């Protein structure tokens, strides 16, 4: 499974942008051009550490250069073939392995809406982000010390395994 497209409209410094991702996409650029805003837009849909309250955006999150009343973020995934994703979300995956997630909100009604579907024409509104369990993604903030992050994750997994192993004997 891979992200192939991200569409952002009305969010921070994105008026109306479609970004295509390849197998190896690097996000680079000068300061204040939107790299962090792009990552945050993706995180709104995919990061389980962002709370429901944080998903209700403020006026500062709307397009900054002219009056905008709506925000729309769409992520397209290609090559969705993972068994654990298909087991939970099969009804939303197209025959050629495509799935879309969409986030919308407006200034008039600060509540956000989420949609999922096999195409833009077949998006269905959903309640909650239950799809995150199927995707099982984890946001890793920028870190110059990746090996330290990997060591911490490895230790957490070993500790979790040892805890469950020990609880078998209780």
């Amino acid at each position: 499974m891979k992200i192939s497209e991200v569409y952002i409209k009305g969010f921070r410094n994105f008026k109306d942008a479609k970004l295509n991702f390849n197998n190896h996409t690097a996000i680079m650029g000068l300061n204040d051009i939107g790299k962090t805003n792009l990552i945050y837009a993706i995180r709104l849909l995919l990061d389980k550490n962002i709370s429901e309250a944080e998903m209700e955006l403020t006026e500062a999150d709307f397009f900054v250069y002219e009056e905008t009343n709506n925000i729309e973020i769409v992520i397209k995934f290609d090559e969705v073939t993972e068994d654990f994703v298909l087991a939970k979300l099969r009804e939303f995956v197209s025959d050629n392995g495509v799935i879309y997630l969409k986030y919308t909100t407006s200034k008039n009604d600060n509540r956000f809406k989420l949609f999922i579907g096999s195409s833009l024409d077949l998006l269905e509104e959903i309640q909650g982000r239950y799809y995150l369990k199927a995707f099982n993604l984890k946001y890793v903030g920028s870190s110059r010390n990746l090996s330290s992050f990997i060591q911490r994750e490895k230790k957490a997994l070993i500790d979790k395994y040892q805890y469950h192993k020990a609880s078998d004997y209780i």
Side-chain angles (χ1 to χ4, degrees):
M1 177 170 76
K2 66 178 185 175
I3 295 174
S4 61
E5 293 176 10
V6 176
Y7 174 73
I8 306 173
K9 183 175 182 181
F11 180 67
R12 296 185 178 171
N13 65 321
F14 290 97
K15 182 177 182 178
D16 192 354
K18 180 179 174 186
L19 300 103
N20 295 307
F21 287 61
N22 297 318
N23 286 337
H24 303 284
T25 299
I27 301 168
M28 300 182 300
L30 300 172
N31 291 339
D32 295 326
I33 63 163
K35 298 179 303 290
T36 301
N37 292 339
L38 168 62
I39 297 301
Y40 194 74
I42 294 170
R43 288 183 63 205
L44 279 171
L45 281 161
L46 300 180
D47 188 352
K48 58 187 167 192
N49 292 321
I50 292 181
S51 69
E52 298 268 329
E54 291 172 299
M55 292 187 66
E56 293 177 358
L57 301 178
T58 67
E59 188 162 335
D61 291 309
F62 287 80
F63 185 61
V64 296
Y65 300 111
E66 62 186 51
E67 183 63 29
T68 303
N69 291 317
N70 299 305
I71 291 174
E72 184 177 317
I73 301 166
V74 179
I75 300 175
K76 177 186 178 190
F77 291 90
D78 283 333
E79 301 176 20
V80 180
T81 58
E82 294 78 3
D83 291 336
F84 54 91
V85 175
L86 294 173
K88 298 268 187 196
L89 304 173
R90 163 55 71 198
E91 65 192 280
F92 301 113
V93 179
S94 73
D95 292 339
N96 59 343
V98 173
I99 191 168
Y100 287 86
L101 293 174
K102 180 177 177 180
Y103 169 98
T104 64
T105 192
S106 69
K107 282 185 183 176
N108 303 334
D109 180 12
N110 195 27
R111 291 177 289 180
F112 64 91
K113 294 181 183 178
L114 298 171
F115 302 83
I116 190 170
S118 58
S119 74
L120 290 174
D121 297 332
L122 297 175
L123 291 174
E124 296 179 25
E125 186 174 354
I126 55 174
Q127 303 302 312
R129 298 184 291 164
Y130 65 87
Y131 58 86
L132 291 175
K133 288 182 180 180
F135 286 177
N136 195 26
L137 299 170
K138 182 173 184 175
Y139 173 71
V140 178
S142 64
S143 172
R144 289 194 161 75
N145 192 350
L146 186 58
S147 63
S148 174
F149 169 77
I150 291 170
Q151 289 297 344
R152 282 192 310 274
E153 289 296 304
K154 189 189 309 184
K155 183 180 179 335
L157 287 172
I158 290 169
D159 290 348
K160 185 177 180 180
Y161 172 77
Q162 288 174 341
Y163 171 78
H164 287 296
K165 186 98 169 141
S167 66
D168 290 343
Y169 297 106
I170 297 176

